[in-house]
Amino acid sequence: MVTAGSTSAEDLVKARAVLLDPVDGRRRLAPEALRTALVDLHDFWLAGRAAAIGIGGAGSGIALAAVGALGRRELAPYSDLDLVLLHEARTGVDRLAEQIWYPLWDAGIGLDHSVRTPGQAVQVAATDLRAAFGLLELRHIAGDPGLTDTVRTAVRNAWRSGIRGRFDEIADGATERWRRNGEVAHRVEPDLKNGHGGLRDIQLVDALAAAQLLDRPAADVVAARLLLLDVRTELHRLAGRARDVLRAQDADEVASVLDLGDRFDLARALSGAARAVAFSAEVGLRSARAALPRRGLAALRRPPVRRPLDSGVVEHLGEVALARDASAARDPALVLRVAATAARTGLPVAASTLHRLSETAPELREPWPREAVGELLSLLGSGRGMVDVVEAMDRTGLWGRLFPEWGAVRDLPPRDRAHVWTVDRHLVEACAHAARLTTRVARPDLLLVGSLLHDIGKGRGADHSVVGASLARQVGHRLGLPEADVEVLGEMVRHHLLLPHTATRRDLDDPATIERVVETLGGSPLLLDLLAALAEADSLATGPGVWSPWKQRLVGDLTARARALMAGEPLPRPGALGEEGLALAAATRDDGKPHVSISGDKPASVVVAMPHGPGTLAAAAGVLALHSLEVHAAEIHSVDGEAGEVVVHEFTVSPRFGGMPDPALVRSDLARVASGALSLPDALARKERDYAPANPDPESSAPPRVLWFDDEASGVVVLELRGTDRIGLLHRVAAALEQECGLDLRWARVSTLGASVVDSFGVSGPGPGGALPTPLRTAVEHAVLTAAGSAAARPSPEGPR
């Protein structure tokens, strides 16, 4: 054992062995106690060795100090010793250093060492980022404490004064390390030290705090640090050597030692800890960048402008923040609007905004307000942009407040190696993939919500599909969905494995197989298409290679056979014209001018009557877009009379900013369009340029798609457009149909479901009975797809249709 005056490194090795493998019935030390004992042991030995070779105390001008794990007092059993011998240009210092280093080397103890003057220490910290991080944690071991304090103070002062010039290197280094080592929260075999959410990220936050750019880590990060250190300590003890990657075969034993159950319980605990650390590091980097000291001309510039993004939401310093007068208590959709805006723009939500919302936002009443549901759908339909936003909301308690059912799947590890994400992250990933499949289904809103909830029943000790179906219905009622939609949502979750399991495990040539699928789905083509899209999104979110071309073919074959057996999808039908529309139609017949009526608020009803002619829907939709009105639904009616035919449009809209416009202004703009005094294409192009994102991402939007149906009941051809909502979309598509292709629009149904649209148009062509020959259909489809793809590449928060 190491005793007073003992300077033999062999004694140090023996003492370490006793701590790691107690004898004579001594109790095994817990991880934290073991680290403390190891630090005290090495401090004691090093101090004794320093005294034995003549390193004096105060005023001697030489000191031995520790950095790294020993400096932080986080020494794991087989961590290297990181030591610095400081001196004030003394001669013979190299000989003293050798008298410390060689015994440690000879005993097989890992050692990283250096000999520095104060000036050299500051210089190396200024040029080597890794050395700088270590010297920030400098801790005195032996010799002259004043010298250690001098170096520590000088390094920290230089770090603070030079942080602006080094920040990009710090941020880029962290990003590259995350890319190289993956996420601790989701790796089957995580790197506890270097991974995203690992111990180096905590050191990163500490370094930014040392530069006075951040406060010290919050309590959840402190707890996460302790867990990561405990797991790493036990991993070292189990492996008998330094190891930072937790292998699957070691996880059960480490979990047992830490009284954390089995490897799945350990994985869940590690996931929660790592996600807290990762969130802290990401927010810390953004906050630190915003807090960097401004110098020269930059210090004289005016403060950054707060750019409006949506109602109550602004951009400030590259982050989404609350407007000064925004209040979650008065605006129940504010939380989700902030989230949807961040996902849509690709900007992170400011940490202060998240904390303010978590402290002030009340529980949403049930059923949710319609506007809150719309913002939820916009968030879910934003694709990849939603992933980080939901993570941030979940880390600050906002997501769990919206969906209490989330707690059972939060950080829940998968039970098979095919899954690369925890269950909660898998659900978010599936929803992100589903956003690119929304044009395949007639109800993209149900696809998005169903994808988010399809595995919500896991972690409850029963069939997750059965439990999840009940929970999905519970969520559907909370959202205020119609009972029929709630039932479809429940059936989606109940049967989300039906198609992939049947396709890969049953004989698709057996009619009984197809009949069973159709019977299980109650003969619903809607449910069939939703499940087909969900099967793809679920597989893509599981892991690489899960959605193989073979599986895609099998599921597609099964879906096609079941759809054929069901005899096709139901066709949309026009609705009846209300009394307000009839009154406006009479006024238009009398004077031949447009008339407008607006009622309600959010959503509001806008009724527009215009003389019959080409381009009426395009004109009405364009004018509403200019007035920042988002169209949720629209119907077209033709009213015959002695004075000629009148077209009446009934719109359901919401204002993006402020209140509803004056009907007289809308009517005036319609008259200007009719007279040629107002060019809608030019005006909408200007609006699009004003509100389109600075860096559009074409991968975030699902490609538009056109489907055709022959409506035998009404004698018209039905064109259905599925796409992503964009500025002036309805105007462009209607203009393509009415003006470019010369079709007669008999009726229209327009539905905006979050960021997605499903627009159906009843059209008459030049053929007998209004038929559209195949060549004309091809031309029409090309024109509609061109119009749908000609707007901004991403949905815009201010993008009314």
Side-chain angles (χ1 to χ4, degrees), residues 572 617 636 707-709 716-721 729-730 733-734 737 744-750 758-764 784 801:
L617 176 59
I636 303 173
L707 291 85
W708 294 95
F709 304 95
V716 300
V717 175
V718 178
L719 180 150
E720 184 175 280
L721 170 66
L729 175 62
L730 181 56
V733 173
L737 291 171
D744 182 18
L745 281 178
R746 301 286 297 275
W747 56 264
R749 288 282 181 84
V750 180
V758 179
D759 297 351
S760 300
F761 303 89
V763 300
S764 292
V784 169
R801 302 195 304 130

Side-chain angles (χ1 to χ4, degrees), residues 584-674:
L584 292 180
T588 296
R589 278 198 302 268
D590 291 341
D591 60 15
K593 297 179 180 180
H595 285 268
V596 178
S597 170
I598 298 178
S599 59
D601 186 14
K602 292 184 179 181
S605 174
V606 177
V607 182
V608 177
M610 303 177 69
H612 182 269
T616 57
L617 176 59
V623 168
L624 294 183
L626 287 180
H627 286 272
S628 294
L629 297 179
E630 179 183 11
V631 176
H632 303 298
E635 293 190 17
I636 303 173
H637 309 270
S638 294
V639 181
D640 293 321
E642 296 179 358
E645 191 174 2
V646 174
V647 180
V648 179
H649 309 272
E650 292 183 315
F651 297 96
T652 301
V653 304
S654 289
R656 276 298 181 181
F657 300 105
M660 294 296 297
D662 187 335
L665 294 177
V666 177
R667 182 185 180 191
S668 174
D669 284 343
L670 284 169
R672 292 171 61 207
V673 170

Side-chain angles (χ1 to χ4, degrees), residues 184 190-195 197-200 228 231-232 235 243-246 270:
V184 175
D191 187 329
L192 304 173
K193 182 177 180 181
N194 300 296
L199 291 166
R200 284 204 183 279
L228 288 165
V231 174
R232 185 170 183 251
L235 185 58
R243 179 176 288 169
D244 297 318
V245 175
L246 177 62
L270 272 178

